Amino acid sequence: MPNPLLQTDDRGIYCAAGDFHIDPWKPVPRAVVTHAHSDHARPGSQAYLASRTSEPFLRKRLGKSISLQTADFGETVTLNGVRVSLHPAGHIRGSAQVRVEHNGEVWVVTGDYKVRPDPTCTPFELVPCDVLITECTFGLPVYRWPEPEDVAKEINDWWRQNASEGRTSIMFAYALGKAQRVLALLDDSIGPIYTHGAVQQMTQSYREAGVKLPATTYATGKDTSHDYTGGMVIAPTSAGRSNWIRRFSSPSTGFASGWMMLRGTRRRRAGDRGFVLSDHVDWPALMDVIDGTGAERVLLTHGDTAIVTRWLREQGIDARDLETPFARQEEDVAEEA
Ligand SMILES: [Zn+2]
Ligand SMILES: [Zn+2]
């Protein structure tokens, strides 16, 4: 039996025919990268291939001088005779699924993805394939996301209430992707919006790419006398453990993540409010995508793969875990998701 088109080795998902890796966790000669989150885009590879829209973020994460080839969504790049193309994953700006075609067989690696509307990135595209390698970060039937408009209303109501009580709202969100998605949902008639430095940098790149976002002011470390009362501050979770946060008087804190569906996570986070806003697929969307691709075989990664695998097998689908030596810290997952 011939080798499968893609399989894991000690450095990541490897295509032997094309001699490249997808989102490798160790340095490789050629890395195809789905998006600029740090658990997918890792430093040290000799050459990178990624979507054109992800370029500014990858250079921020991996350095200006990396050897990076970019491709438009849908454009085919041939590597050693293997046809590779990138398709929108709808996860964050520039995020891509990787389609690999060789000898009439098509494989798709989803990377992180979501199907819910998000004005800050290109909508997810369903790509038909023979074999699907999908993430299943939220691969349990309990995960069903509320409508983004409803979450937007919850966030704005919370902000308005805090402002009327003379409090400052602080929303913790991952600096790349989630922060900008939250920004796009805010009603800026309520008050001024401030950003932490890490968020400001990434937001600037979104604006330069033409994404419309409400005006924000960078809350620098220098001006400690500014009155932030009634404002909304967007900051990465790590800022909540730093001195930076002390400048805000009587703050009310919120956290935007898919993990907020679980009460235990809410308690552990110790924020005042949790908002269910995820950049990953929920359970029904995961099932729809698997079904929609028409894949004959499904390989699961990132999440409770055993549960999803068993469920799919009961539906008569040839599903298995994609063995990876790589396990993420829960903290990282929570911040990004
Ligand atoms: Zn991601
Ligand atoms: Zn990820």
Side-chain angles (χ1 to χ4, degrees):
M1 204 179 128
N3 275 338
L5 187 53
L6 299 175
Q7 57 192 135
T8 50
D9 66 10
D10 61 335
R11 291 179 290 181
I13 299 174
Y14 181 59
C15 176
D19 194 20
F20 61 87
H21 285 81
I22 298 173
D23 288 352
W25 43 82
K26 286 183 184 164
V28 297
R30 182 182 289 279
V32 179
V33 172
T34 59
H35 65 292
H37 279 150
S38 54
D39 55 325
H40 297 259
R42 290 171 179 266
S45 287
Q46 285 165 39
Y48 293 89
L49 171 65
S51 79
R52 190 177 305 285
T53 35
S54 69
E55 179 168 5
F57 309 107
L58 281 176
R59 291 203 185 275
K60 268 189 182 134
R61 279 278 151 86
L62 303 178
K64 281 199 175 76
S65 60
I66 55 165
S67 163
L68 171 64
Q69 179 186 359
T70 61
D72 286 324
F73 287 132
E75 177 187 347
T76 298
V77 175
T78 306
L79 301 174
N80 258 3
V82 174
R83 292 164 60 84
V84 177
S85 55
L86 304 172
H87 303 266
H91 170 61
I92 61 165
R93 184 133 188 99
S95 64
Q97 308 170 74
V98 184
R99 181 186 187 275
V100 181
E101 181 181 351
H102 190 56
N103 292 337
E105 195 176 57
V106 176
W107 290 52
V108 166
V109 178
T110 63
D112 293 341
Y113 68 108
K114 72 170 178 290
V115 298
R116 293 289 172 118
D118 174 353
T120 67
C121 63
T122 315
F124 174 85
E125 178 190 328
L126 189 65
V127 185
C129 58
D130 301 307
V131 183
L132 179 70
I133 299 180
T134 177
E135 64 124 333
C136 58
T137 303
F138 292 101
L140 287 173
V142 39
Y143 290 111
R144 286 159 202 268
W145 307 147
E147 293 301 323
E149 308 91 85
D150 295 341
V151 180
K153 186 175 179 308
E154 270 181 48
I155 293 173
N156 285 312
D157 286 350
W158 169 68
W159 180 15
R160 200 176 289 109
Q161 179 69 28
N162 289 336
S164 75
E165 292 169 5
R167 304 183 74 183
T168 307
S169 306
I170 301 178
M171 178 69 92
F172 294 115
Y174 199 81
L176 171 57
K178 184 65 63 62
Q180 293 73 31
R181 190 173 178 210
V182 168
L183 267 176
L185 297 175
L186 292 179
D187 173 0
D188 60 358
S189 71
I190 298 171
I193 305 171
Y194 301 97
T195 51
H196 179 274
V199 171
Q200 186 65 18
Q201 260 197 36
M202 294 300 177
T203 302
Q204 190 52 34
S205 294
Y206 269 64
R207 288 207 178 93
E208 283 163 10
V211 179
K212 280 217 175 74
L213 295 170
T216 54
T217 305
Y218 173 29
T220 68
K222 288 165 196 146
D223 180 11
T224 47
S225 61
H226 186 87
D227 182 12
Y228 294 95
T229 307
M232 167 70 85
V233 184
I234 316 273
T237 319
S238 56
R241 299 184 290 267
S242 73
N243 278 331
W244 182 83
I245 210 77
R246 299 219 178 123
R247 75 195 56 199
F248 306 108
S249 56
S250 64
S252 175
T253 56
F255 189 71
S257 167
W259 300 113
M260 291 301 107
M261 269 205 72
L262 297 187
R263 284 166 149 269
T265 318
R266 279 186 202 193
R267 269 203 300 275
R268 275 207 302 281
R269 285 271 147 208
D272 296 327
R273 280 292 295 273
F275 300 96
V276 182
L277 192 68
S278 177
D279 291 324
H280 295 261
V281 275
D282 61 3
W283 176 265
L286 174 64
M287 293 302 137
D288 282 354
V289 168
I290 288 172
D291 188 49
T293 60
E296 283 166 13
R297 198 181 338 143
V298 180
L299 302 170
L300 284 308
T301 175
H302 280 73
D304 287 317
T305 55
I307 291 167
V308 185
T309 301
R310 198 175 60 215
W311 173 276
L312 291 172
R313 287 184 168 204
E314 282 167 11
Q315 318 299 310
I317 296 168
D318 177 3
R320 41 191 107 156
D321 293 0
L322 183 73
E323 294 284 338
T324 58
F326 170 63
R328 291 193 296 176
Q329 302 256 322
E330 196 211 349
E331 185 75 1
D332 294 343
V333 178
E335 286 198 25
E336 181 194 314

